[in-house]
Amino acid sequence: MITSAMIFGLCGAAVIGIGLYGFVIHRNLLRRVLAFNVIGSGIFLLFGAMGYRSPILGADPVPQALIITGIVVALSATALAVALVVAYARATGQSTLPEDGAEHKTEDKADER
Amino acid sequence: MSEMLPLLIFLSAFLPAIITFFLPQPAYGWRNGLNLGGATLALALVVYMLWSVSNGAIYETRFNLVPGLYFLLRVDELSLLFMTLSVSLWFITTLYAIAYFGTKPNLSRFFGFFSLCIAATIGIALSGTLITFFIFFEMLTLSTWPLVVHKQNKESLAAGLSYLRYALPGSVALLVAIVWLNSAIGPIEFSQPVNLQALDDTSLRIIFALFIMGLGVKAALIPLHGWLPRAMAAPAPVSSLLHAVAVVKAGAFGIIRVVHDVFGVNLMVELGVGLILALLASATIIWGSIRALQQEEIKKRLAFSTVSQVSYIVLGVALAGPYAAIGALAHLVHQGLMKITLFFCAGIYAERAEIIRIDALNGIGTRMPWTSVSFTLGAIGMIGLPPMAGFISKYYLGLGALEAGQSWVIAILAISTLLNAAYFLPMIYRIWFLDAPKASSVPEISTLKHPLSEGSLTLVGPAVVTAFAALAVGLFAGAPTSPLSWATLIVERNDTP
Amino acid sequence: MNGELALVLVATLPLVGALLTVLFGLRGGFIALAVAASISIALFVLILDVAQGGVIEIAVGGWEAPLGITLRADGLALAFLTMSALVMVAVILFAQGGFAPRTIAGKMVEKRASYAFWPLALLLWAALNAIFLSRDLFNIYVGLEMLTLAAMALVAIGGKAESIAAAMRCMMFALLGSLLYLLGVSLLYAAHGTLDIDQIFARTTTANADFVAAGLITAGLLLKTALFPFHAWLPPAHSNAPAPASAMLSALVPKASFYILLRFWFEAVPDLANQAVMWFLGGLGALAILFGSLMALRQMRLKLIIAYSTVAQIGYLFLVFPLAGGDYSAQPWATNAWSAASFHAISHGLAKAAMFLCAGLWIVAVGHDRLDGMKGLAQAMPMTTFAFVLAAMTLIGLPPSGGFTAKYLMLSAAFSAGDIIWVVILVAGGLLSAAYLYRPIAFVFERKALQTTVFVSHRLQAIPLILALAATLLGLASNIPFELLQIGRPFASSGEME
């Protein structure tokens, strides 16, 4: 019998998959941050689905508590990431990271400390 | 109190070193006083310990590093031999260095590392376990590197790099050997019997080879000697210290410890590594002398001579037998005295008369008599002519060779003596029997800076003192306080069946 | 003050301090210093209490696991807490002048730095303490996230384009790591209904999901520890941050995720630690040592050398897994390997922080960190040079130093176990680190009269010197830390070091 939890779980897995795909395909920083959020949401969905006990007992509340904490953490991370993206765009006018190793070519002038 | 005594001697060199680093350049009085004071204190402590150890006293400082790994400073007869040499020569070399440098820059840095180097040597002498020995051995490498690169010019830095390139892999070999032994049979104390049964012969041979590799770098065994001639880029007090007291002797001392107190002479013979070591030492003796012949600079020739001479000690150790051991131990002291004399003189020649090359020595004897007499005495001792100290040690080594049944060693000793003569006698001939060149005829040779004064008392004095000490040690070798007698005492007390 | 109160203070004071520095921005430096002092005192009391009375454990809010969170102070936790405290105090002292608010109007970058540095530093400390004390995997996740966010912000604090790019790049890795970790944690919870380390250890069934979960958690943590081959984000991040930030980043941040790995594989799921996994981790560590050292040899910027050195040194830590993990945990040499990893983590933390602070001072003096422009600095700043050389000694593993003790213990364990390959790796690593650390020292020692040097006060120069001396002292006074580490250690075998 397919329980509702199973559907949620499968959805969660699908969302994670979509997020991963988005992360790999896109190079635009904002889209990558978005992809992370999607993956995160998928994980939370999965987590919530795992709280399924029998229909009589009701769901396990602990995963829900963990999800809430997780959302807060994801929010802070997203905020920082977006701030960095904006700052980066302001500094360089780019919205994608340069190729690997390009950062090494510039030297460390007197630190701003 | 007896627990603190070994630590105290170490501190009498270590603390002045640390304080000296903080002294500003113009604080001549403080710096000289501090270092000489430390040397005097150390000397006094050593004399005290000499007296009490000969009466059977034991001094130990011990503490745990981690469970099973402990730090041990122990005074025994062998450590006293090495320590007496180091500490007395420290005092003399400090006087010499003060006069040699005068008002040159970076003196606090120099004397700081100088005393630190001596502290490390004292630590090596006093080490009671392999791991303690290793710690101080490394400390020696690290404190001598700044001395080698002291002048900070291209040549010095290259010399320093070469030194590290040899010393660090060597230390790795040493560490691997020590850890291997410790993990197989537990912590190793030099004064306790060591049971090597747990390891098979091949492992023991490899461990022995690793030890020799690690110690042989400092002891300048070929092919690990390459750093030593290059280290001549350092100032003369450093070369004297390195070649007579600290580095090379530490390597030789380490080999003595490993052979006598870790493996045991009998096991060394059984494994067959004793013969190989003897061959290696002999090859070094001959090769060092040949290379010395080819040199045209005084210090370089002396450097190769050291390569050759320190291997006498290793040879004596490799030949199982009390006479050879006595010869080796005595030569530790004798070679120290003679070589430091020669290097002192080389430094005086360079500083006062700008003589770097051998062919510039012509006729210097009349203008710098004291230095030249000391140089001659040192050279004669190196060749091994009686009554100088060098003769005594060679004689015992020869006896030891016969005793061990390795008569070919006598041939090696003979060839080496001839080679020594071949590269020292011409120098003596030039000094005394050739006329000084006119300034105009040979353009590269510069005139004396101060044609009337040979050098200050503290510059020339040390060379004279050590030269006559080498003479005395040879003349009065039979006296109960001579290095030879002390060497005999060591061998008698520690004769392992 | 008893131990439990001290534990609570150690966990919460940094958070309180961070809030205070946000409220009173202008006094940020002073508040940070006061908080640092208080935390140090609390930590000292805690150490004394644990040394006498054994492990201290509290359940937050009185709620026991699995619903509640347990905080525990045992030997390992204390060791890492002490390391963090020492480094943080040094960094806060060091940054007092540099991050003071400027009165020059219009200089946006400096204002931001002085406003943001203190809270971020204290949040980093709070995160570290939370991770070191927690016994709950999700609580550790929260701490880990806080650590990552604070660290990333510190990377970007300078405001330069390279810093921001570096911060972005490491955010990518770090976020991916967090997500993998979270996924693993959720799988574990689904299988066993608890996230407390001790309760996971005591579980009676081993589901297949456990392997997957362990794999995901490990992968996530490896990304955060910058172990080879996931190290690409570390060198640009650490080399582009200002010196005090780099010190915190290199010395402390990777240690936290390593610590979690240690707890996980040694205390939560030791039964899953089969030889293949342990050797895999050790193998990655060996590759990190080799690769990091080789890359460090090629760099011409000092901060990049130090950053790649971190990549290499982290590899050493992972040798604990093949030597003390899984089947070996009951062997007598496991104690040595396990203690070696802790000694190495602590001495590396102290020495690396010292090195970055020295680099920072040199950069102030000459204006850049290119090697060929640093000739003559040994003459001009002997104290800093000495601190750098001492720190290098620990990293190379020369005696006496904490790094040497760690190397010795690890070598001894490798020999006892008969796995000579680790001996070769350790030895090669030591020689390579000597090679890449010699280069900056040689440049600095070359004789050259420097034209323009900004004077650096002796008080500032003393800070890295003290850190480096502490790392050296760890090698001499190593018995006490060794004994302390063993308190509360799981499966402590009775075998002494051979």
Side-chain angles (χ1 to χ4, degrees):
Chain A
M1 196 192 100
I2 302 183
T3 60
S4 55
M6 220 180 284
I7 301 180
F8 277 116
L10 287 171
C11 269
V15 170
I16 295 177
I18 295 172
L20 261 176
Y21 171 79
F23 178 74
V24 167
I25 289 292
H26 292 293
R27 290 207 60 224
N28 185 308
L29 286 173
L30 210 49
R31 287 176 199 254
R32 282 190 150 174
V33 173
L34 217 56
F36 272 122
N37 265 288
V38 171
I39 299 176
S41 305
I43 296 181
F44 295 142
L45 204 51
L46 203 58
F47 214 158
M50 287 176 195
Y52 177 81
R53 294 190 288 212
S54 73
I56 314 155
L57 283 172
D60 186 351
V62 171
Q64 297 173 16
L66 298 182
I67 292 172
I68 295 181
T69 316
I71 291 176
V72 173
V73 169
L75 172 70
S76 327
T78 310
L80 181 62
V82 170
L84 283 175
V85 170
V86 170
Y88 184 68
R90 211 180 277 159
T92 62
Q94 311 251 347
S95 59
T96 57
L97 281 177
E99 293 303 315
D100 275 322
E103 284 112 49
H104 291 203
K105 303 220 175 87
T106 50
E107 66 185 38
D108 191 17
K109 292 269 188 320
D111 262 340
E112 286 300 333
R113 277 182 281 136
Chain B
M1 171 62 181
S2 66
E3 275 168 10
M4 297 306 295
L5 207 47
L7 194 59
L8 213 55
I9 299 192
F10 173 75
L11 287 175
S12 67
F14 187 73
L15 286 176
I18 301 295
I19 300 177
T20 307
F21 281 122
F22 291 103
L23 293 174
Q25 171 78 356
Y28 291 103
W30 278 102
R31 186 171 45 238
N32 298 344
L34 193 59
N35 284 292
L36 286 173
T40 317
L41 176 63
L43 202 53
L45 288 171
V46 165
V47 166
Y48 171 71
M49 285 205 289
L50 270 172
W51 172 78
S52 41
V53 168
S54 62
N55 293 337
I58 297 182
Y59 297 103
E60 262 190 20
T61 308
R62 180 194 289 259
F63 68 88
N64 249 359
L65 286 174
V66 282
L69 189 68
Y70 50 93
F71 181 90
L72 177 63
L73 292 175
R74 191 172 191 279
V75 182
D76 64 7
E77 296 84 2
L78 179 59
S79 59
L80 272 176
L81 182 80
F82 190 32
M83 210 166 34
T84 317
L85 178 72
S86 316
V87 170
S88 35
L89 289 180
W90 174 26
F91 187 84
I92 295 179
T93 315
T94 308
L95 281 174
Y96 177 79
I98 293 172
Y100 182 87
F101 281 115
T103 51
K104 293 207 178 103
N106 294 318
L107 286 180
S108 289
R109 188 179 78 191
F110 179 85
F111 281 104
F113 281 116
F114 197 77
S115 300
L116 210 56
C117 179
I118 297 289
T121 313
I122 293 177
I124 289 177
L126 289 172
S127 298
T129 62
L130 273 177
I131 195 66
T132 318
F133 179 86
F134 181 78
I135 293 176
F136 285 116
F137 205 67
E138 288 308 289
M139 190 177 151
L140 186 63
T141 308
L142 294 173
S143 51
T144 41
W145 180 79
L147 292 176
V148 171
V149 302
H150 179 79
K151 289 188 194 159
Q152 286 178 271
N153 54 18
K154 249 193 153 69
E155 212 193 332
S156 305
L157 283 168
L161 181 61
S162 173
Y163 182 45
L164 287 178
R165 277 215 184 109
Y166 278 91
L168 286 178
S171 80
V172 159
L174 193 56
L175 181 63
V176 170
I178 293 177
V179 179
W180 193 340
L181 269 185
N182 275 356
S183 61
I185 61 176
I188 297 188
E189 240 181 274
F190 292 137
S191 57
Q192 308 290 338
V194 176
N195 183 355
L196 290 172
Q197 306 258 348
L199 287 165
D200 59 295
D201 277 0
T202 320
S203 302
L204 282 173
R205 288 203 183 98
I206 299 178
I207 295 179
F208 190 84
L210 286 170
F211 268 118
I212 298 299
M213 269 197 276
L215 297 164
V217 166
K218 291 229 168 51
L221 279 173
I222 58 173
L224 305 165
H225 66 289
W227 61 274
L228 192 55
R230 259 173 261 185
M232 291 304 100
V238 178
S239 311
S240 335
L241 192 61
L242 288 179
H243 289 240
V245 177
V247 177
V248 285
K249 289 296 159 55
F253 180 81
I255 295 181
I256 297 176
R257 277 283 192 216
V258 165
V259 168
H260 280 199
D261 294 325
V262 176
F263 277 81
V265 170
N266 292 331
L267 182 61
M268 180 183 69
V269 171
E270 258 176 49
L271 289 172
V273 287
L275 187 59
I276 301 182
L277 188 60
L279 286 169
L280 197 58
S282 308
T284 311
I285 293 175
I286 302 293
W287 178 248
S289 300
I290 294 177
R291 291 285 283 144
L293 258 166
Q294 297 171 333
Q295 301 302 317
E296 289 174 356
E297 283 181 27
I298 302 179
K299 277 174 89 174
K300 286 250 161 64
R301 182 171 280 192
L302 292 177
F304 278 105
S305 169
T306 304
V307 170
S308 173
Q309 291 276 331
V310 173
S311 279
Y312 279 15
I313 304 175
V314 181
L315 183 60
V317 170
L319 292 170
Y323 275 113
I326 295 177
L329 291 170
H331 200 60
L332 197 96
V333 179
H334 297 171
Q335 197 266 354
L337 288 171
M338 298 186 294
K339 202 30 92 44
I340 206 175
T341 309
L342 290 170
F343 270 104
F344 279 162
C345 297
I348 301 172
Y349 283 143
E351 271 305 290
R352 306 298 293 172
E354 294 189 359
I355 294 177
I356 313 273
R357 296 170 56 87
I358 292 170
D359 47 22
L361 279 172
N362 291 3
I364 200 71
T366 42
R367 284 185 287 172
M368 299 177 74
W370 287 100
T371 313
S372 305
V373 164
S374 312
F375 190 88
T376 311
L377 282 175
I380 294 179
M382 282 293 172
I383 298 174
L385 297 174
M388 293 296 294
F391 169 72
I392 304 283
S393 19
K394 282 198 192 180
Y395 177 70
Y396 269 83
L397 281 174
L399 278 180
L402 283 174
E403 182 190 42
Q406 311 278 5
S407 320
W408 55 273
V409 172
I410 309 228
I412 300 284
L413 289 174
I415 298 176
S416 156
T417 308
L418 283 172
L419 287 170
N420 283 356
Y423 62 72
F424 273 122
L425 284 178
M427 293 168 89
I428 301 179
Y429 183 69
R430 278 183 190 273
I431 291 176
W432 295 108
F433 298 111
L434 286 183
D435 289 323
K438 305 273 185 300
S440 53
S441 57
V442 190
E444 317 94 62
I445 301 176
S446 51
T447 51
L448 275 182
K449 284 201 256 202
H450 306 272
L452 289 180
S453 69
E454 186 172 351
S456 64
L457 186 62
T458 47
L459 187 65
V460 182
V464 175
V465 166
T466 51
F468 279 95
L471 178 61
V473 153
L475 268 179
F476 303 114
T481 51
S482 73
L484 182 67
S485 311
W486 193 259
T488 317
L489 180 71
I490 294 174
V491 175
E492 276 170 11
R493 282 210 185 158
N494 295 325
D495 216 342
T496 43
Chain C
M1 208 197 311
N2 70 355
E4 295 187 354
L5 180 59
L7 197 158
V8 170
L9 282 176
V10 165
T12 53
L13 272 178
L15 279 171
V16 172
L19 285 174
L20 285 175
T21 50
V22 172
L23 282 175
F24 302 105
L26 286 177
R27 293 239 186 254
F30 176 72
I31 294 177
L33 202 54
V35 168
S38 335
I39 298 175
S40 311
I41 297 175
L43 185 59
F44 186 64
V45 171
L46 185 61
I47 292 177
L48 283 179
D49 210 53
V50 171
Q52 286 167 352
V55 169
I56 293 182
E57 197 171 295
I58 60 176
V60 176
W63 297 304
E64 299 291 336
L67 275 182
I69 297 172
T70 317
L71 296 179
R72 181 196 292 179
D74 60 5
L76 185 66
L78 284 179
F80 277 77
L81 284 170
T82 315
M83 169 189 70
S84 325
L86 284 170
V87 171
M88 289 307 300
V89 168
V91 165
I92 289 176
L93 274 173
F94 188 87
Q96 287 289 316
F99 285 94
R102 303 283 165 97
T103 49
I104 308 168
K107 274 275 203 174
M108 279 303 294
V109 172
E110 280 158 341
K111 267 170 135 179
R112 184 211 306 137
S114 56
Y115 162 87
F117 181 80
W118 307 111
L120 286 174
L122 287 173
L123 280 174
L124 192 115
W125 198 348
L128 286 169
N129 286 4
I131 293 175
F132 294 147
L133 289 169
S134 293
R135 302 296 291 179
D136 179 278
L137 285 178
F138 193 79
N139 201 28
I140 288 179
Y141 169 73
V142 176
L144 204 54
E145 285 305 284
M146 199 155 86
L147 184 68
T148 306
L149 296 180
M152 300 303 108
L154 279 170
V155 169
I157 206 172
K160 302 177 296 186
E162 301 88 37
S163 319
I164 302 179
M168 274 283 17
R169 200 181 288 285
C170 69
M171 274 225 88
M172 297 290 150
F173 278 86
L175 286 178
L176 196 57
S178 316
L179 291 172
L180 288 173
Y181 181 87
L182 191 57
L183 197 51
V185 161
S186 62
L187 283 177
L188 263 185
Y189 183 79
H192 302 291
T194 176
L195 286 175
D196 182 86
I197 290 181
D198 301 304
Q199 294 200 340
I200 291 180
F201 171 65
R203 70 197 187 290
T204 46
T205 60
T206 302
N208 281 334
D210 282 358
F211 285 104
V212 179
L216 285 168
I217 291 179
T218 307
L221 289 171
L222 287 186
L223 277 166
K224 290 204 179 255
T225 321
L227 185 67
F228 182 91
F230 306 122
H231 61 283
W233 60 268
L234 194 146
H238 290 197
S239 57
N240 282 315
S246 308
M248 287 188 282
L249 291 169
S250 243
L252 302 175
V253 173
K255 305 292 162 49
S257 23
F258 171 73
Y259 178 92
I260 302 170
L261 273 170
L262 211 58
R263 289 285 193 206
F264 186 72
W265 283 107
F266 280 82
E267 293 181 35
V269 290
D271 49 305
L272 292 180
N274 58 20
Q275 206 194 20
V277 174
M278 297 289 103
W279 274 70
F280 177 68
L281 287 174
L284 285 181
L287 286 172
I289 296 175
L290 293 173
F291 187 78
S293 307
L294 288 173
M295 287 302 286
L297 276 170
R298 294 175 45 195
Q299 303 304 322
M300 279 310 288
R301 281 182 53 200
L302 181 61
K303 277 179 125 177
L304 272 175
I305 294 180
I306 304 179
Y308 273 108
S309 166
T310 303
V311 172
Q313 296 279 326
I314 286 171
Y316 281 107
L317 296 173
F318 279 82
L319 293 179
V320 74
F321 290 106
L323 284 174
D327 305 322
Y328 279 169
S329 60
Q331 300 286 354
W333 62 80
T335 311
N336 288 346
W338 194 82
S339 311
S342 308
F343 264 93
H344 191 271
I346 298 168
S347 33
H348 172 259
L350 293 171
K352 197 40 75 67
M355 253 194 198
F356 264 118
L357 292 181
C358 289
L361 290 174
W362 280 338
I363 291 174
V364 168
V366 292
H368 62 82
D369 74 334
R370 275 191 340 265
L371 281 185
D372 50 15
M374 291 186 135
K375 300 184 188 175
L377 270 175
Q379 204 88 353
M381 300 172 70
M383 225 162 138
T384 311
T385 313
F386 186 60
F388 191 88
V389 172
L390 267 187
M393 269 174 58
T394 301
L395 292 181
I396 299 173
L398 291 170
S401 66
F404 170 70
T405 311
K407 189 164 154 185
Y408 185 92
L409 288 172
M410 201 69 98
L411 276 173
S412 169
F415 266 115
S416 303
D419 297 329
I420 304 296
I421 177 75
W422 308 122
V423 172
V424 173
I425 299 285
L426 279 164
V427 157
L431 285 174
L432 283 171
S433 48
Y436 68 67
L437 284 172
Y438 175 77
R439 282 180 67 232
I441 296 179
F443 272 105
V444 157
F445 262 93
E446 271 186 51
R447 166 176 298 223
K448 190 177 169 187
L450 289 168
Q451 262 69 46
T452 47
T453 30
V454 177
F455 175 71
V456 179
S457 79
H458 280 249
R459 240 183 319 185
L460 269 183
Q461 290 191 50
I463 298 176
L465 185 59
I466 295 179
L467 277 179
L469 281 173
T472 310
L473 205 63
L474 190 60
L476 283 170
S478 43
N479 205 22
I480 301 175
F482 191 91
E483 299 293 340
L484 193 65
L485 273 173
Q486 311 305 322
I487 298 176
R489 185 183 151 218
F491 320 119
S493 60
S494 57
E496 262 208 358
M497 195 202 82
E498 270 286 302

